[in-house]
Amino acid sequence: MISYLKGIVAGVQSSGSRHTLTLEVNGMGYDLLIPGRLAKQLPSMGDTVQIFTHYQIREEVPLLYGFGSPSERDLFKHLLSVSGIGAALAIALLDTLEVPELVQAIVTTNVQLIIQAPGVGKKTAERICLELKSKLIEWRKTAGFFVATQGPAPSILEEVQSTLLALGYTASEVSHALHYVSEDIGLPKDAFVEDWIRQAIAHLSSTEV
């Protein structure tokens, strides 16, 4: 089993949401299907990069998937274990939320954020949470990170998220903003909805380039 490959970036091809990295290792070219997020973070052509891999055979066709970290690769494998979740949906989830944010969304049953991934509906998001919640609570400790974000109280969380998403912010941006407002500013979780929204927008506006 191939755990990772370290080689030279020989090319990247994108077709819609499908991204293929050609990695040259010891004179051989490997084609790896990678998330769009990783495609944007790759070094320049000819530079060396280490990619963590997952090998899968689908309809007798061997496929090699590549990821930027072991935790991203392992979370991908967890997602594939959920009934009805294929590689395309798993990658869409990883492209929508960063690993800590996606894990936090699943363990807190934050369906509102999970359904921001293309092709993921409410029932699918609920199934992901149901099947992975207990597994990921333990796994995130061994994966080298622990998400401590409290965020708004559950009674107002959905309204805060819905408002920010409706304003055009991405799920990842919303998650980052709520983490900042909770941890760095220290806004009480039971503060008014308007306070959470105002502080989140202020932070998001300050980080825009």
Side-chain angles (χ1 to χ4, degrees):
M1 188 63 66
I2 303 173
S3 178
Y4 66 87
L5 291 170
K6 187 174 184 179
I8 299 171
V9 177
V12 179
Q13 295 183 342
S14 299
S15 177
S17 60
R18 186 184 177 95
H19 305 275
T20 303
L21 162 67
T22 300
L23 191 69
E24 182 181 337
V25 182
N26 296 327
M28 296 182 62
Y30 292 84
D31 283 340
L32 301 95
L33 297 172
I34 62 174
R37 188 192 302 274
L38 176 57
K40 297 176 182 177
Q41 297 172 343
L42 288 171
S44 302
M45 293 271 290
D47 287 347
T48 300
V49 67
Q50 182 173 0
I51 303 294
F52 297 88
T53 59
H54 172 69
Y55 179 76
Q56 184 182 63
I57 297 179
R58 181 180 179 184
E59 298 178 354
E60 300 185 358
V61 177
L63 297 170
L64 195 59
Y65 293 89
F67 305 92
S69 68
S71 60
E72 186 178 38
R73 185 264 316 277
D74 293 345
L75 181 54
F76 174 78
K77 293 164 69 173
H78 276 298
L79 291 168
L80 289 183
S81 72
V82 177
S83 56
I85 299 296
L89 278 185
I91 287 180
L93 285 159
L94 292 170
D95 269 338
T96 301
L97 290 165
E98 295 180 8
V99 172
E101 298 163 350
L102 180 54
V103 172
Q104 183 72 359
I106 293 172
V107 300
T108 58
T109 317
N110 194 334
V111 173
Q112 184 69 25
L113 278 189
I114 296 173
I115 62 175
Q116 300 306 309
V120 178
K122 184 177 180 181
K123 289 184 178 180
T124 299
E126 291 173 343
R127 186 165 65 252
I128 291 171
C129 296
L130 177 65
E131 295 188 26
L132 291 185
K133 181 175 181 178
S134 59
K135 294 180 183 178
L136 296 187
I137 287 176
E138 291 302 316
W139 173 79
R140 67 178 180 176
K141 298 175 184 177
T142 62
F145 62 86
F146 181 81
V147 183
T149 303
Q150 297 299 316
S155 58
I156 65 173
L157 177 60
E158 184 173 351
E159 185 175 350
V160 173
Q161 290 176 335
S162 296
T163 300
L164 295 173
L165 291 168
L167 291 173
Y169 295 109
T170 67
S172 185
E173 288 172 333
V174 171
S175 182
H176 273 299
L178 295 184
H179 176 94
Y180 175 82
V181 174
S182 174
E183 302 295 329
D184 291 25
I185 295 181
L187 188 68
K189 62 188 302 182
D190 57 352
F192 290 114
V193 171
E194 293 79 7
D195 292 333
W196 275 99
I197 293 173
R198 183 173 62 254
Q199 293 282 10
I201 291 176
H203 171 68
L204 289 164
S205 298
S206 68
T207 58
E208 290 178 352
V209 179

